[in-house]
Amino acid sequence: QKEVEQDPGPLSVPEGAIVSLNCTYSNSAFQYFMWYRQYSRKGPELLMYTYSSGNKEDGRFTAQVDKSSKYISLFIRDSQPSDSATYLCAMILFSGGYNKLIFGAGTRLAVHP
Amino acid sequence: NAGVTQTPKFQVLKTGQSMTLQCAQDMNHNSMYWYRQDPGMGLRLIYYSASEGTTDKGEVPNGYNVSRLNKREFSLRLESAAPSQTSVYFCASSEGQHYSNQPQHFGDGTRLSIL
């Protein structure tokens, strides 16, 4: 079993829809949670970053963390064609001086006009 | 703002050939990383460097070597390329120590095909 599971999609939605992207994880020691956006033939870029359970909002994006369920989500409101990309969740575990960063495999999102 | 620059962007090699992937960052970051990205596998860490002069193995180091030439540059070398090393390679950098709570900044990748 992978430490971080993410549905690969693809997810296809109409412009203006609310998008929900999710990751589950198995190790309760993960402490920091991130979402990266990756456009085709580009490197990942950081979208959201949080370390506590609950919601964090930035414009049309909301990151949600539920540590008790080991589940994180990214919500995109009023989705736009420019949001079409692959979204990677990532999380950091701090363990006795050896830190570990694990990425999900990514969910491909297509927003059509 | 250049950020993290990787060269080359594309490369095709024959099995057994060697090559070096170059990476440079202009953000004065201490930590630098090399990842490979394969379909369905996510990003996997090959090697990292927490500071100039130090390097350590990541999750999938076999078949690779690295050099932290100075604070800006971190290169990845394939000594004898194998088809299993066909992948997209990303270099990243971050402030602070290895996997601190500082986010990573990525280059745009090198697409490597080995025949």
Side-chain angles (χ1 to χ4, degrees):
Chain A
Q1 183 189 4
K2 292 180 182 178
E3 289 188 274
V4 178
E5 298 275 2
Q6 185 174 9
D7 188 332
L11 185 61
S12 181
V13 301
E15 183 175 355
I18 296 174
V19 175
S20 172
L21 304 166
N22 310 298
C23 285
T24 59
Y25 60 97
S26 56
N27 191 335
S28 57
F30 283 117
Q31 297 181 25
Y32 286 83
F33 305 91
M34 293 157 282
W35 285 96
Y36 282 83
R37 178 175 61 196
Q38 185 175 19
Y39 290 116
S40 180
R41 297 193 174 276
K42 292 291 186 181
E45 56 177 327
L46 183 69
L47 264 183
M48 301 283 288
Y49 181 101
T50 183
Y51 60 88
S52 57
S53 282
N55 293 349
K56 181 177 180 180
E57 195 171 313
D58 184 0
R60 295 185 295 111
F61 299 91
T62 300
Q64 184 178 82
V65 174
D66 183 345
K67 290 186 177 181
S68 61
S69 301
K70 301 192 190 70
Y71 190 90
I72 67 171
S73 299
L74 178 71
F75 298 97
I76 307 174
R77 290 186 300 279
D78 188 24
S79 56
Q80 303 294 309
S82 59
D83 294 326
S84 299
T86 297
Y87 291 81
L88 308 170
C89 64
M91 45 199 79
I92 299 178
L93 179 157
F94 298 107
S95 174
Y98 177 75
N99 301 338
K100 191 173 177 182
L101 170 61
I102 303 292
F103 284 88
T107 299
R108 199 180 337 158
L109 171 67
V111 181
H112 51 87
Chain B
N1 292 338
V4 178
T5 303
Q6 291 184 237
T7 56
K9 295 191 186 308
F10 305 94
Q11 185 70 49
V12 179
L13 293 177
K14 294 181 180 178
T15 297
Q17 287 185 316
S18 62
M19 83 162 291
T20 299
L21 280 61
Q22 306 288 352
C23 174
Q25 53 92 8
D26 62 2
M27 296 172 282
N28 202 36
H29 286 168
N30 288 320
S31 298
M32 297 186 73
Y33 311 82
W34 276 105
Y35 291 91
R36 59 179 290 173
Q37 187 177 40
D38 302 290
M41 300 291 290
L43 286 156
R44 291 183 293 168
L45 182 67
I46 304 171
Y47 270 94
Y48 68 94
S49 171
S51 61
E52 184 179 350
T54 67
T55 61
D56 284 286
K57 294 178 180 179
E59 181 185 353
V60 288
N62 291 345
Y64 305 95
N65 285 302
V66 290
S67 294
R68 184 74 182 268
L69 305 170
N70 47 55
K71 193 170 186 179
R72 289 187 64 248
E73 298 172 290
F74 188 37
S75 62
L76 178 72
R77 182 162 178 83
L78 285 71
E79 290 291 350
S80 178
S84 60
Q85 294 177 305
T86 293
S87 188
V88 182
Y89 291 85
F90 287 99
C91 177
S93 69
S94 66
E95 292 185 61
Q97 298 179 358
H98 170 52
Y99 289 158
S100 65
N101 60 352
Q102 299 299 316
Q104 298 190 358
H105 299 261
F106 287 83
D108 283 339
T110 294
R111 283 154 185 79
L112 183 61
S113 292
I114 298 159
L115 308 176

